[in-house]
Amino acid sequence: MKHPAPARRSHFFALAAAGLLAPAVTVAADPATQNFDIPSQALSSALTRFSAATGLQVLYEGDIAERITAPELKGVYSPEQALQKMLRGSGLNYRFSNGNTVTLEKAAVVAPQSAAGTATLPSVTVLGKTESDPNDPYNSDYRLPNASAATKTDTPIMDTPMSIQVIPKQILKDQQAIRIKDALKNVSGINWATDPMYEGFQLRGFQTDGTTTVYRNGLRIRRAVQEVADLERLEVLKGPAAAAYGRIEPGGLINIVTKKPLDTPYYALEQQFGSYDMFRTTADATGPINQDHSLLYRVNLAYQNNEFFIDKMDQERVFFAPSVTWKPSDRTEVNLNLEYLYDERTSYTGLPVQGNRPANVPISRYYGFGSDNEKSVFDKFLIGFDWSHQFNDDWKIQHRFHYYKLDYQINNSSFFPGRVNPANNRTAVRNVTDRPIDITDTVATNIDLTGKFKLLGTEHRVLAGFDYFWEDFEAQGFFGAPAPASLRPVVDIFNPVYGQVPSAASQGFNNFSTLEQYWYGAYFQDQITLFDKLHIMGGGRYDWATRSSGAASSSIEAARNSETEVKNEAFSPRVGVVYQPWPWLSLYGNYVESLGGANSALASTGKPLDAETAQQHEVGFKTEWFDKRLMTTVAFYELTKQNIATPDPVNTRFSVQTGEARSRGIEVDVSGQITDGLNLIATYAYTDAVITQDNSGNQGRKLWNVPANSGSFWAKYSFQDPALRGLNVGAGAYLVGERQGNNLNNWQMPGYVRVDALLGYSWEIGNSKVTAQLNINNLLDKTIYETSAFNGYLTQPGAPRNFMGSIKVEF
């Protein structure tokens, strides 16, 4: 199928309605009539209701259905007759394909009218499958065919020589995922690896600190704290991404794509409620502001209040995200969006380690001081701006910018610096941390020029760009080791005693740190197609980076004065190839180099160490089955990370850059639709991640928190029988093998299997769709340890069996 012109690529193919929950209808073969009651409204909205009623997928390109009002459709008609009446006078024709798919297109001439006033139909032409619009709020697909994270262009995944997975919003809806970590369990080779406050992950075995993995609309979000209320989809790029994004850990990145304003009115209100007094309300409203649809808006809201399965813990969250789109012409688009998040919750770091396993205590036990002022607070503000202009059908320029400010307060948090005392097997030391001032300011921007042309029988899609990133961070507070004697710094893990924690002001600040870093980079990329079967990607990036950090015990000024600066420059190349012997099969391979984060360790000369580097070799294949409804990716990779700081054997107070770690493995990801009504997503990962060079005795040991085997399976079935239409059932299982608690490999977290289930029902009331849903997580009530904390002697437990219900109204 020929791709649409780039002038319309930002829309690609809009899907008026998926119709996957209704039975398939073959128009040409089934003249059966049915009752329709669709009021006059925007054509795109009317087609959505038509699709839901008939089971037909109505697809159209770009914005051809914009600014058209459909007449009222009321009475008994066949689906074909109904479609004729809706399109009368619109200047649009239609074609049928694949039995239950209708594709709209602009008519070359206005169809003549018969004596009865009915439009004469064009001839029927069979087409290949047309892709749905991922931004359609009613899109129920589990598989999205395109992604931009790998190439910074809207490229078919089958044509991309990288492993990339996309989690659409429908999966978040079905699983009632309210954190991105809940959604990422559906992607192979990802492990949650941070404390409860941040969204930090390990990809392909390599840990990040929650500050370099997550991107928002292609721009870096440092110290990520994310709300899913305005999340459209998640894109996960596996392997080093420095060639396109600059300094980043080599395991990959997670790109959050947020919701954009739509030109069709849509409103949704959802109330969720569940175990541990959880109440969560979300609202979504979007549509045109003016009559010509050149000005659009969207507002997403969320409020959450809940306790936890852990004693003495609670949370309150407020989220507000308005956005506006302006389209001064068919070729120019401007977007402005804001985000505000306030999140307050009880501080928590985890459970202690007893011997070589998590302590044999209830996972609900809390080991803080249990005082009212033991809270951590996130106060996040983001303003984002982007614009794009299509010069012609081949060339486009796009610019993105955001400013991100995060105030983070850790008040009176306590934790265990080591394992339970082996002498008595029941006590551990409790510390106090108070960081009432922890501020991060971030600016990120980029500008991309994309184009396509033909040269000597080859097709080229090129990208050239420049980006800039700046961050300033400072923290000041109190750190006590151990806690004051009056607060029992030695705690009995089987009988903890709680009490009030003195404020940092009364203790006096003794911990000040600063960080300022910035870098800019220029990058290029060429995607070459030969013979419609061979796709070659080549490109690279050059980075200039500066990082300064300091620490002191007296003041922020002293920390600033102690800052040590390190500069790095590097070129990161990337090459890849895809060969498609048949349309349903892509064989691919890539070689990528990566510039990682700056080392904060010092050499014996007193100078900071150079940045870490990495290289990856990867081969694999991708398939599309069942009329391109089901996609599979199988990847084989080897990834090596160098320049890791390790103790200097001559003077262990300093470091040398001889550390190295290697990860190799197999990853399988499957997502999409098997039959009408049956959607699934499944994964498997085998990961062999080891420390290959180290001066602290860890050589040959496994990287912490990385299971050798992990996998997941989730399936949802929407009943197709008219008597049961609207009923949905689903179930899933998530397997995680044993993991090392730290790089010393001297304690382990046991593996687990978690089973989840879904029961839901949807029905229409007037012009509204109402959905009631119940999810049961950890159905078998297994004890789960999700991650170790801080690569040390703490573990984060997962929730026991819990319930989540919801009522959602859409119109």
Side-chain angles (χ1 to χ4, degrees):
M1 181 184 68
K2 184 177 179 181
H3 294 300
R8 300 182 294 271
R9 291 291 288 184
S10 62
H11 298 286
F12 197 51
F13 279 89
L15 171 61
L20 296 177
L21 304 183
V25 177
T26 304
V27 174
D30 185 6
T33 60
Q34 62 188 92
N35 186 57
F36 290 89
D37 187 4
I38 302 176
S40 177
Q41 57 190 292
L43 178 59
S44 54
S45 299
L47 290 171
T48 297
R49 295 177 60 83
F50 170 82
S51 179
T54 63
L56 289 171
Q57 288 183 321
V58 185
L59 311 175
Y60 53 90
E61 181 182 2
D63 57 359
I64 64 171
E66 289 185 1
R67 306 171 192 173
I68 297 176
T69 300
E72 180 185 32
L73 179 66
K74 190 170 186 178
V76 178
Y77 305 99
S78 71
E80 184 175 5
Q81 291 171 336
L83 188 61
Q84 293 173 25
K85 288 183 173 293
M86 294 174 66
L87 296 180
R88 181 181 301 169
S90 67
L92 301 178
N93 290 337
Y94 62 88
R95 315 184 211 181
F96 298 106
S97 60
N98 303 323
N100 69 331
T101 301
V102 181
T103 302
L104 304 186
E105 61 184 5
K106 291 182 179 179
V109 294
V110 178
Q113 302 291 314
S114 69
T118 303
T120 303
L121 295 178
S123 59
V124 172
T125 304
V126 178
L127 298 176
K129 178 177 174 63
T130 305
E131 307 299 352
S132 58
D133 178 11
N135 300 313
D136 180 1
Y138 293 103
N139 188 342
S140 60
D141 290 351
Y142 269 34
R143 172 255 176 189
L144 296 181
N146 287 31
S148 61
T151 62
K152 290 195 173 184
T153 60
D154 190 28
T155 303
I157 294 174
M158 291 289 287
D159 297 349
T160 305
M162 311 287 290
S163 178
I164 183 168
Q165 277 70 50
V166 181
I167 305 298
K169 58 180 174 292
Q170 185 61 44
I171 294 176
L172 277 72
K173 293 178 182 179
D174 290 342
Q175 298 178 354
Q176 294 207 63
I178 59 176
R179 290 187 63 178
I180 65 171
K181 86 178 188 70
D182 301 324
L184 291 172
K185 65 179 182 289
N186 300 288
V187 180
S188 66
I190 292 187
N191 308 300
W192 182 54
T194 186
D195 66 79
M197 301 299 288
Y198 285 125
E199 299 283 8
F201 302 90
Q202 289 165 307
L203 288 79
R204 291 190 166 173
F206 288 105
Q207 184 260 349
T208 68
D209 56 6
T211 65
T212 61
T213 307
V214 181
Y215 284 65
R216 179 186 181 276
N217 298 327
L219 297 178
R220 178 183 301 240
I221 292 289
R222 288 278 292 178
R223 312 179 75 83
V225 187
Q226 295 301 314
E227 168 59 51
V228 302
D230 70 335
L231 192 154
E232 187 68 55
R233 62 188 176 274
L234 289 170
E235 299 178 344
V236 180
L237 172 62
K238 306 287 191 65
Y245 293 94
R247 309 181 73 167
I248 186 171
E249 287 294 315
L253 69 85
I254 300 155
N255 185 41
I256 295 172
V257 180
T258 60
K259 296 176 181 177
K260 294 181 61 176
L262 303 177
D263 58 12
T264 301
Y266 171 79
Y267 310 96
L269 179 65
E270 182 175 25
Q271 179 63 57
Q272 294 171 289
F273 47 89
S275 301
Y276 315 111
D277 293 329
M278 201 285 288
F279 292 92
R280 177 178 166 87
T281 305
T282 58
D284 185 0
T286 185
I289 296 176
N290 54 2
Q291 291 186 350
D292 66 0
H293 290 212
S294 62
L295 196 60
L296 315 173
Y297 82 95
R298 191 159 196 164
V299 177
N300 282 275
L301 302 168
Y303 174 77
Q304 181 176 328
N305 192 304
N306 60 277
E307 296 181 357
F308 287 87
F309 68 93
I310 299 165
D311 297 337
K312 300 182 179 295
M313 289 191 65
D314 58 61
Q315 177 185 16
E316 183 176 28
R317 169 175 283 202
V318 178
F319 178 75
F320 174 58
S323 57
V324 177
T325 295
W326 178 43
K327 298 179 180 180
S329 71
D330 291 339
R331 293 185 178 273
T332 304
E333 180 176 309
V334 181
N335 297 286
L336 176 66
N337 52 86
L338 304 176
E339 282 189 14
Y340 175 74
L341 172 69
Y342 177 87
D343 188 305
E344 177 181 303
R345 69 181 78 178
T346 310
S347 300
Y348 180 75
T349 51
L351 296 177
V353 175
Q354 190 176 32
N356 63 350
R357 282 290 190 271
N360 186 22
V361 297
I363 61 172
S364 60
R365 184 156 292 169
Y366 181 74
Y367 285 101
F369 291 102
S371 55
D372 293 337
N373 66 335
E374 194 167 356
K375 299 286 186 179
S376 291
V377 178
F378 281 103
D379 201 342
K380 166 188 169 182
F381 172 77
L382 182 145
I383 179 169
F385 170 81
D386 68 86
W387 62 270
S388 63
H389 177 71
Q390 193 86 37
F391 296 108
N392 52 43
D393 288 348
D394 296 329
W395 291 91
K396 177 182 178 180
I397 189 170
Q398 184 168 26
H399 171 237
R400 300 181 183 91
F401 167 89
H402 75 217
Y403 167 73
Y404 172 58
K405 183 180 182 64
L406 176 65
D407 290 350
Y408 178 24
Q409 300 180 26
I410 311 174
N411 294 322
N412 303 317
S413 177
S414 61
F415 66 99
F416 298 88
R419 286 183 291 183
V420 173
N421 187 344
N424 58 30
N425 217 26
R426 65 180 303 134
T427 61
V429 176
R430 185 158 52 183
N431 292 348
V432 175
T433 298
D434 196 343
R435 287 165 62 186
I437 303 175
D438 193 338
I439 301 172
T440 302
D441 290 281
T442 296
V443 170
T445 187
N446 72 352
I447 186 165
D448 293 332
L449 176 67
T450 57
K452 67 176 186 177
F453 59 88
K454 293 183 179 180
L455 179 65
L456 301 177
T458 62
E459 296 182 3
H460 295 254
R461 176 175 292 179
V462 295
L463 162 73
F466 174 87
D467 62 18
Y468 173 81
F469 174 81
W470 169 85
E471 177 192 29
D472 185 79
F473 164 80
E474 64 178 41
Q476 51 185 303
F478 170 79
F479 177 79
S486 61
L487 293 175
R488 299 177 184 262
V490 177
V491 62
D492 185 338
I493 68 170
F494 299 107
N495 185 29
V497 176
Y498 304 108
Q500 188 72 15
V501 183
S503 68
S506 66
Q507 300 294 314
F509 288 178
N510 64 1
N511 194 340
F512 302 85
S513 60
T514 62
L515 168 67
E516 182 178 9
Q517 60 177 336
Y518 63 90
W519 67 79
Y520 49 93
Y523 47 90
F524 69 94
Q525 176 182 280
D526 190 2
Q527 297 168 264
I528 307 170
T529 301
L530 296 85
F531 318 116
D532 293 327
K533 292 186 175 182
L534 183 62
H535 306 275
I536 301 172
M537 181 181 72
R541 170 192 178 97
Y542 200 91
D543 274 295
W544 297 265
T546 301
R547 183 181 191 271
S548 301
S549 60
S553 60
S554 56
S555 67
I556 283 291
E557 291 74 16
R560 292 287 185 191
N561 293 333
S562 71
E563 286 183 346
T564 304
E565 183 180 86
V566 59
K567 294 185 177 183
N568 292 109
E569 296 183 21
F571 176 71
S572 303
R574 177 170 68 168
V575 294
V577 61
V578 177
Y579 177 62
Q580 294 180 279
W582 302 282
W584 56 269
L585 174 65
S586 293
L587 309 174
Y588 78 94
N590 65 65
Y591 172 75
V592 187
E593 294 184 5
S594 178
L595 175 67
N599 266 310
S600 58
L602 298 177
S604 58
T605 60
K607 295 182 178 179
L609 301 179
D610 291 334
E612 297 169 341
T613 59
Q615 301 84 37
Q616 175 182 272
H617 300 80
E618 179 180 345
V619 296
F621 62 89
K622 306 175 185 182
T623 62
E624 289 183 321
W625 303 100
F626 304 105
D627 193 24
K628 297 187 177 183
R629 293 179 301 181
L630 186 75
M631 174 177 284
T632 300
T633 299
V634 179
F636 306 85
Y637 69 91
E638 179 168 300
L639 175 59
T640 304
K641 179 179 178 180
Q642 300 99 358
N643 283 2
I644 300 173
T646 186
D648 188 329
V650 177
N651 188 342
T652 55
R653 294 188 302 113
F654 297 99
S655 300
V656 293
Q657 249 175 316
T658 58
E660 181 183 89
R662 185 263 303 148
S663 176
R664 63 164 67 110
I666 303 169
E667 294 172 343
V668 181
D669 290 87
V670 182
S671 62
Q673 184 181 20
I674 298 292
T675 63
D676 288 342
L678 180 60
N679 290 274
L680 67 83
I681 185 166
T683 73
Y684 170 74
Y686 169 75
T687 310
D688 177 22
V690 299
I691 299 169
T692 51
Q693 295 182 27
D694 184 72
N695 292 337
S696 56
N698 292 333
Q699 187 165 326
R701 291 173 175 161
K702 301 288 186 180
L703 289 177
W704 71 286
N705 198 46
V706 182
N709 293 280
S710 61
S712 68
F713 178 86
W714 170 269
K716 184 193 75 170
Y717 182 70
S718 302
F719 285 86
Q720 303 297 292
D721 188 294
L724 297 173
R725 184 176 300 168
L727 180 63
N728 304 301
V729 295
Y734 305 91
L735 179 149
V736 178
E738 182 181 84
R739 293 138 293 151
Q740 299 296 329
N742 56 21
N743 286 339
L744 291 173
N745 293 185
N746 60 0
W747 71 276
Q748 294 78 40
M749 290 173 290
Y752 64 87
V753 177
R754 183 181 121 183
V755 177
D756 297 347
L758 154 73
L759 177 64
Y761 187 75
S762 298
W763 66 97
E764 291 193 5
I765 301 177
N767 295 327
S768 302
K769 178 183 178 182
V770 181
T771 301
Q773 185 171 317
L774 174 66
N775 289 75
I776 306 175
N777 299 318
N778 197 1
L779 179 65
L780 303 181
D781 201 21
K782 297 293 185 180
T783 298
I784 291 173
Y785 299 99
E786 292 188 323
T787 184
S788 59
F790 316 112
N791 186 16
Y793 295 97
L794 289 165
T795 183
Q796 302 283 344
R801 180 169 50 233
N802 62 92
F803 302 86
M804 177 85 79
S806 69
I807 297 290
K808 184 174 185 179
V809 180
E810 300 171 274
F811 55 97

